[in-house]
Amino acid sequence: MVEPPKAQPLTDKFKYGMPIYSIAWPPGDTFYLCGGGGSTSSGIKNRVVSATCKNGKLSDQTGEYLFGKNCPMRMVVSPDGKFLVVAVSKGGIRVLRISKDPNVNPSARNSISFTEIEVDQSPFHVPSPASTLAAVTASTVKSNSSSLLRSITSPAATLSPLASQSLSPSQVLLPPPIPPKMHEVTSLAFHPSGHHMAFGCEDGSLIILNWPSLTVLMKLSGPSALPSEIKDLDFHPAPQNPSAVPFDSPYWS
């Protein structure tokens, strides 16, 4: 029979081996830290760790999740305590499910595990200016012809060098799509009800999503964005008469 991990000794202070960019502490003794060395090969891992604090004493990490070269910058715990929503340096968010082993001491190493949930990142795509779009709307190849006809929305776009060759449809190779640029999330918060999330971005965009579906409830971006970076935001506390306010607008700073 394998003996369960023992509780780690607690101490007044502890270094978790990384620059710390954000902390989230739901009710209880367990808290979460995120940070790392960024996208460069600094040797410092980009990660989320969990630890405990009891009577002013800190434990070593009790769980860990690695992010590769995408550094976790900000995070918040869902009101039910089951998920971490993490904003990362390359834009967009990552969602981790938190699992706690009830048979293991909370301050023991590996008493907490994280599982990443795949989420739709499209709400965090930065809209491309119409003048830079080169979307292919049609492609026609005529056999025994030296021309390749394409209808392209951008007036500045030119035909591919392949157009001078006689090609079959199976031989036409278009360049791979360019990954969309992502909004860098600089602040995030849950609505007290746990049904919505607000995200403030570096370019002043404000995004409000339903939780946990992460479908868009409201998005102010591009010309509708705020004039500067949203460094912090929160929801107004629920009114005594909820029917008087259809939706609690977030306050930002």
Side-chain angles (χ1 to χ4, degrees):
M1 180 177 179
V2 179
E3 185 178 350
K6 295 181 180 180
Q8 304 175 94
L10 303 181
T11 181
D12 291 332
K13 56 184 177 181
F14 202 93
K15 292 185 178 180
Y16 293 96
M18 62 184 182
I20 296 171
Y21 297 131
S22 182
I23 182 171
W25 197 336
D29 296 332
T30 298
F31 62 95
Y32 305 91
L33 306 160
C34 74
S39 59
T40 59
S41 300
S42 64
I44 302 175
K45 297 178 180 178
N46 298 313
R47 59 198 182 118
V48 162
V49 301
S50 59
T52 62
C53 180
K54 194 168 185 179
N55 299 322
K57 302 288 186 178
L58 299 169
S59 75
D60 195 348
Q61 69 183 52
T62 58
E64 175 186 66
Y65 189 84
L66 302 177
F67 283 78
K69 292 187 176 182
N70 203 357
C71 187
M73 303 295 293
R74 297 157 192 88
M75 63 181 177
V76 65
V77 182
S78 61
D80 61 9
K82 296 180 179 179
F83 298 91
L84 267 176
V85 181
V86 185
V88 289
S89 58
K90 294 184 179 180
I93 62 170
R94 307 272 285 272
V95 177
L96 304 180
R97 184 191 302 275
I98 303 168
S99 300
K100 301 180 181 180
D101 189 337
N103 300 317
V104 175
N105 189 296
S107 62
R109 197 171 184 87
N110 299 324
S111 62
I112 289 181
S113 60
F114 301 98
T115 304
E116 183 162 359
I117 308 300
E118 185 175 352
V119 297
D120 178 16
Q121 298 289 342
S122 61
F124 302 97
H125 291 175
V126 177
S128 300
S131 60
T132 63
L133 289 178
V136 177
T137 58
S139 179
T140 304
V141 178
K142 295 183 178 180
S143 58
N144 301 321
S145 172
S146 62
S147 63
L148 171 64
L149 303 178
R150 295 193 303 172
S151 176
I152 301 178
T153 60
S154 171
T158 58
L159 289 177
S160 164
L162 295 177
S164 62
Q165 305 177 27
S166 179
L167 299 173
S168 67
S170 62
Q171 293 176 302
V172 177
L173 298 177
L174 295 177
I178 299 174
K181 184 179 179 182
M182 304 284 283
H183 287 294
E184 181 181 346
V185 175
T186 51
S187 54
L188 63 168
F190 269 98
H191 187 276
S193 68
H195 295 157
H196 312 290
M197 286 198 73
F199 302 87
C201 302
E202 185 180 29
D203 64 353
S205 296
L206 175 66
I207 304 167
I208 299 180
L209 305 181
N210 296 306
W211 177 265
S213 66
L214 294 177
T215 53
V216 177
L217 183 62
M218 183 179 77
K219 182 174 182 179
L220 301 178
S221 185
S224 302
L226 299 179
S228 59
E229 176 184 353
I230 303 176
K231 297 182 178 180
D232 198 9
L233 52 73
D234 204 351
F235 285 92
H236 187 280
Q240 292 183 352
N241 181 12
S243 62
V245 182
F247 183 74
D248 297 18
S249 299
Y251 283 28
W252 48 82
S253 63

